[in-house]
Amino acid sequence: MVGHAVTFLGSSVLGGVLLAGIVLPAAGAVGLGAKNGAESFENIPDDFKTPPLTQATQIFDAKGGLIAKVYERDRTVIPADQMSPFMRHAQVDIEDARFYEHGAVDLKGILRAITKNAESGATVQGASTLTQQYVKNVNVEKAGDDPVAVAEAQRKTLGRKIQELKYAIKLEEDLPKDQILTNYLNITFYGHQAYGIEAAAQRYFSKDAKDLTLPEAAMLAGLVQNPSQYDPKLHPVAAQKRRDTVIDKMVENRHITADQAREAKAAPLGLRYRDPQNGCITARAGMGFFCDYVRHVVKQDPVFGKNAADRKKLWDQGGLNIYTTMDPEKQAAAQKAVSERVFVTDPVSAAMTMVEPGTGKILAMAQTRPYGLDKEKNETVVNYNVDAAMGGGVGFQPGSNFKPIVAAAALEAGLPPTQRYDSPNRMDWPTMKTCDGTWKNLSKGKKEGTIPNESPREVGPYELKEAMALSVNTYFVQMEQEIGLCAVKQMANKLGVAGKASGEPLQELPALGLGTQEVSPLVMADVYASFAARGTYCAPVAINRISTVDGKDVPVAPAKCDRVMSESTADVVNSVLLGVTEKGTAKDLNLDDNRQIAGKTGTTDEKKSAWFSGYTGNLAASVWLGSPGTKVPMKNIRIGGHYQDEVFGATGPGPIWQQAMSDAVRTMPDKEFPTVYIPDPPKRDPENPSGTPSGSGSGTAQPGSPQSGSPQPGRPQPGRPGGKPHNTTPPDPSDE
């Protein structure tokens, strides 16, 4: 017996407990040496601090529906009154029946363990109190996901045991037993990624911890000793046997009657198991990418912490309820459209973002390829709707989608809505002023030094309304030349195009106004939302509010809205873009209820990307279609089961926008945006096809000088609801 006892004390972790619990309190300040160099009992700090427990964070849509649950550890901390009394009794009875009778160390338990282990010749019974187990769990929690730190926290050494005992003594001085038990039930691990009793109750029985029955509570209490060995899914017989042992202990400690025990033992395990649902990959209705965007917002917005480490800590610690701007109905409409019109197996993909004008709230974010890591299923974790810094890629060239930004800059610079340019079919890139100097064309006369229009029939002169409807390249190049590249870049910045999607700054090159620098659908949707909001730009907003699980509010960033152009400028842009949808390249994209819409198509060189961005008075959306990686030319291609010779903004992304927006606005009020009267250009004289006025050597109208005999352009059109402009000349359908 003595020999077995010595072996036990030398090899078992309980040896440390025995020495620390019996020798040290009696010896006072006498230090204890150990091979591992443990500090003396008195030198161990007693300022035991319990960290905030990592908990699950829940992300909700604007209607309160759960988008996803994300966590480092699946845990929901609950108070004692939210725990079943059966659970509290069962855990104490099986782990530390004398918990309410002893202090931080249980001398009777130690002696009993020595006897049992000596009789068996092995360590079959431990003697750590529930308080000591709690201290150990806290140390593991502090270690986080660092495997080295976790291993150190669990190392069974004399020094570690002495430290745990010192902390346990301090803990029992500071907290009542009931609170220690509550803390223990919230921190301990129950297997299958469930930390704490609330997560365990949900995982195994799909119910709250307060509703656990006697047999359910007994089964969960039995898991703590060895969650793998007593796993009810993998080892149901062992789990039930362990459950019944717990029930016997509850009878022994007079917490239940013999009749209750018989009834509980007769009950089946009754599992209603739920697989762990962690992360944005579990998000419903295609919201995984938006979920990931929310994660980036929390980790990057200074309102959530003064530095990156603080913001990461907030996210990792969890325990947040994040209520977002996501509208489930609009998300469903967007996801349905991008999925039905572009198949996940197609060589190209589509992405769509919807934004509320005047608030910047993101209402929908959808894309064809699903969120995930399985490439064989065409999954991706790259969010094509957003910039690289927010989980996206390097973006896509928007093509003519960018031209309204040039028009807004020109109108702000004082050019009139009737601005006219020669707009030849092809021209050399002209010299242009930049913010810091001058850009010069070093390849004049060569193909690479010229810019053509899409169609050989596009020969000016043109005025703004017609040039936008036809998407005439040379018109907007001449407009850029007149106002300077700096004005275009500054207007883009004001409208939220802070740089390329990759994070690089916009380059002051003449092709900027023709959309050759990559952006994301979210950025373009927000640009067009600013037009709908009469010149007020609002930075994208994904989060309405955040609260902790105990009901405390977490500050969120307020909406950041600024006037970036005059209302009159925005009204002219609205009128011009209304012409695009009435008689321009987007004339076939009317919504089901025929409400007022405005927008712009865009197609890049070789048809590698196609866009449509448009809006009603209360909803803006942008759709991109293309290949994110290989830059597939969309010619002679099958998309969504339909063959297309060539894809344009009006024929590829346009119908996606049309379908999604028709569904999205169905329950929304019909809100129009203000428009102004812009006179049609004069009819062309067959003897003067260029349209150059007699005696004039230039095709450029003087800023602010309306045509003789016409109403003042830029003023609300009298006698017409909404001030809708006259229709423009029907375009060539291939012009973008």
Side-chain angles (χ1 to χ4, degrees):
M1 177 74 75
V2 173
H4 285 310
V6 171
T7 300
F8 170 76
L9 290 176
S11 60
S12 171
V13 298
L14 296 176
V17 175
L18 178 62
L19 291 174
I22 300 175
V23 179
L24 292 177
V30 178
L32 176 67
K35 290 181 181 180
N36 61 6
E39 294 180 50
S40 72
F41 188 81
E42 291 298 329
N43 289 336
I44 297 174
D46 60 6
D47 57 340
F48 180 69
K49 295 180 180 179
T50 58
L53 298 182
T54 54
Q55 301 186 63
T57 283
Q58 298 187 98
I59 302 174
F60 300 94
D61 63 34
K63 299 292 179 65
L66 181 65
I67 293 176
K69 184 165 69 169
V70 296
Y71 51 81
E72 295 295 319
R73 290 178 177 169
D74 189 7
R75 177 189 284 120
T76 300
V77 175
I78 57 174
D81 61 7
Q82 294 299 306
M83 299 175 180
S84 165
F86 288 129
M87 188 66 225
R88 295 176 70 85
H89 290 313
Q91 201 70 75
V92 169
D93 291 344
I94 193 62
E95 291 295 320
D96 185 3
R98 299 183 61 255
F99 173 65
Y100 284 97
E101 300 172 23
H102 60 65
V105 62
D106 181 9
L107 298 182
K108 285 186 178 180
I110 292 173
L111 295 175
R112 183 178 62 251
I114 291 174
T115 302
K116 289 286 186 181
N117 294 332
E119 289 174 351
S120 67
T123 302
V124 297
Q125 188 174 104
S128 292
T129 65
L130 191 146
T131 304
Q132 288 172 276
Q133 291 179 44
Y134 170 64
V135 170
K136 180 179 179 180
N137 282 331
V138 169
N139 288 331
V140 172
E141 182 74 17
K142 288 179 179 179
D145 292 327
D146 183 344
V148 175
V150 170
E152 177 62 25
Q154 295 176 324
R155 210 153 55 97
K156 297 180 178 181
T157 64
L158 181 59
R160 174 67 60 188
K161 277 298 180 182
I162 293 173
Q163 183 190 66
E164 288 177 1
L165 177 59
K166 180 70 176 286
Y167 289 155
I169 292 171
K170 176 62 176 175
L171 197 63
E172 295 230 2
E173 290 176 355
D174 295 341
L175 295 178
K177 289 280 191 177
D178 281 344
Q179 186 60 53
I180 294 173
L181 175 59
T182 298
N183 292 357
Y184 178 87
L185 288 167
N186 275 317
I187 200 173
T188 200
F189 180 57
Y190 289 90
H192 286 273
Q193 300 182 36
Y195 289 82
I197 192 56
E198 178 64 21
Q202 294 291 346
R203 177 76 72 253
Y204 294 102
F205 297 109
S206 299
K207 61 170 57 175
D208 293 332
K210 64 181 176 60
D211 298 323
L212 290 170
T213 63
L214 169 57
E216 292 168 348
M219 192 211 81
L220 294 179
L223 284 175
V224 173
Q225 186 183 84
N226 194 323
S228 299
Q229 181 178 340
Y230 302 123
D231 183 339
K233 279 183 63 65
L234 299 178
H235 310 294
V237 174
Q240 185 160 337
K241 184 178 180 181
R242 176 67 173 170
R243 180 200 71 177
D244 293 349
T245 298
V246 175
I247 292 171
D248 288 339
K249 285 289 184 180
M250 295 178 74
V251 174
E252 180 182 324
N253 289 284
R254 300 181 180 180
H255 286 131
I256 60 173
T257 66
D259 288 341
Q260 285 178 301
R262 280 191 295 273
E263 183 179 352
K265 286 183 177 182
L269 288 179
L271 295 181
R272 293 183 61 195
Y273 181 82
R274 290 179 181 173
D275 284 320
Q277 296 292 307
N278 181 24
C280 295
I281 201 167
T282 66
R284 61 185 179 83
M287 296 184 190
F289 296 102
F290 178 75
C291 170
D292 187 65
Y293 180 82
V294 169
R295 178 175 67 88
H296 279 84
V297 170
V298 173
K299 289 192 172 184
Q300 294 186 32
D301 195 323
V303 75
F304 298 115
K306 61 183 179 180
N307 54 50
D310 288 347
R311 296 190 291 271
K312 182 179 185 299
K313 182 179 179 181
L314 175 67
W315 180 263
D316 292 347
Q317 182 177 311
L320 305 175
N321 289 323
I322 301 178
Y323 301 92
T324 72
T325 59
M326 173 66 66
D327 185 313
E329 294 177 358
K330 292 173 179 55
Q331 172 67 17
Q335 190 62 48
K336 180 180 179 184
V338 299
S339 299
E340 289 184 351
R341 293 188 175 270
V342 184
F343 296 160
V344 70
T345 53
D346 286 344
V348 295
S349 188
M352 180 179 195
T353 297
M354 294 182 179
V355 172
E356 182 177 67
T359 68
K361 291 182 178 181
I362 302 170
L363 304 183
M365 186 178 282
Q367 70 184 51
T368 302
R369 295 184 182 176
Y371 187 85
L373 296 170
D374 192 338
K375 292 185 178 180
E376 292 185 1
K377 295 180 180 179
N378 294 292
E379 294 177 344
T380 181
V381 293
V382 179
N383 186 348
Y384 302 144
N385 276 292
V386 302
D387 291 353
M390 302 303 290
V394 296
F396 316 99
Q397 293 181 345
S400 296
N401 237 221
F402 204 91
K403 288 174 180 173
I405 298 176
V406 179
L411 292 165
E412 284 291 284
L415 274 60
T418 54
Q419 181 68 34
R420 178 183 294 188
Y421 294 109
D422 312 2
S423 311
N425 186 256
R426 179 183 289 270
M427 62 181 287
D428 285 327
W429 291 104
T431 299
M432 296 188 188
K433 292 291 184 182
T434 65
C435 293
D436 300 316
T438 303
W439 182 90
K440 293 183 179 180
N441 186 351
L442 302 180
S443 301
K444 283 187 176 181
K446 300 178 182 179
K447 184 177 180 180
E448 62 268 24
T450 64
I451 175 66
N453 290 329
E454 176 72 22
S455 169
R457 288 174 289 178
E458 289 177 355
V459 180
Y462 291 109
E463 293 184 5
L464 176 58
K465 185 168 66 172
E466 188 179 20
M468 188 70 78
L470 294 169
S471 201
V472 180
N473 288 336
T474 57
Y475 177 92
F476 289 95
V477 169
Q478 290 182 296
M479 180 172 273
E480 274 187 310
Q481 180 189 25
E482 180 155 352
I483 64 174
L485 286 169
C486 190
V488 176
K489 180 181 178 181
Q490 289 175 345
M491 177 55 70
N493 292 162
K494 290 178 182 178
L495 286 166
V497 192
K500 298 180 184 179
S502 64
E504 297 176 358
L506 293 177
Q507 296 175 289
E508 290 182 72
L509 300 173
L512 170 64
L514 303 186
T516 58
Q517 299 186 41
E518 294 83 0
V519 294
S520 62
L522 171 58
V523 167
M524 294 310 294
D526 217 11
V527 168
Y528 282 73
S530 302
F531 298 143
R534 301 190 74 190
T536 295
Y537 166 78
C538 295
V541 175
I543 299 172
N544 282 324
R545 68 182 182 91
I546 299 178
S547 66
T548 60
V549 289
D550 56 1
K552 297 179 181 178
D553 287 334
V554 175
V556 299
K560 299 175 183 176
C561 297
D562 296 294
R563 175 156 297 285
V564 297
M565 68 186 75
S566 67
E567 288 187 351
S568 59
T569 291
D571 293 347
V572 171
V573 174
N574 289 337
S575 305
V576 170
L577 296 181
L578 180 61
V580 175
T581 62
E582 287 188 335
K583 286 292 184 179
T585 54
K587 60 181 173 45
D588 295 325
L589 299 181
N590 290 333
L591 301 186
D592 290 349
D593 60 4
N594 290 314
R595 70 176 65 199
Q596 182 195 52
I597 61 171
K600 184 70 186 75
T601 53
T603 310
T604 64
D605 289 345
E606 299 182 14
K607 311 300 185 289
K608 291 181 179 178
S609 282
W611 292 71
F612 185 78
S613 299
Y615 52 96
T616 65
N618 46 14
L619 185 61
S622 184
V623 179
W624 160 83
L625 175 66
S627 173
T630 56
K631 305 297 182 185
V632 175
M634 290 185 288
K635 299 179 180 180
N636 302 315
I637 191 171
R638 185 173 292 275
I639 301 175
H642 300 284
Y643 175 83
Q644 297 190 51
D645 294 330
E646 287 185 281
V647 172
F648 297 95
T651 61
I656 297 173
W657 184 92
Q658 182 183 38
Q659 176 182 333
M661 287 288 285
S662 289
D663 288 342
V665 302
R666 205 176 302 280
T667 58
M668 299 179 71
D670 185 354
K671 181 182 179 181
E672 294 194 345
F673 41 80
T675 56
V676 297
Y677 171 77
I678 304 175
D680 287 330
K683 292 183 179 180
R684 302 190 184 191
D685 184 348
E687 297 181 3
N688 184 20
S690 68
T692 303
S694 177
S696 171
S698 170
T700 304
Q702 294 300 313
S705 57
Q707 296 180 15
S708 175
S710 298
Q712 181 77 29
R715 298 272 182 88
Q717 184 176 347
R720 298 189 65 197
K724 293 184 180 180
H726 292 301
N727 293 337
T728 56
T729 304
D732 185 308
S734 67
D735 293 331
E736 292 291 329

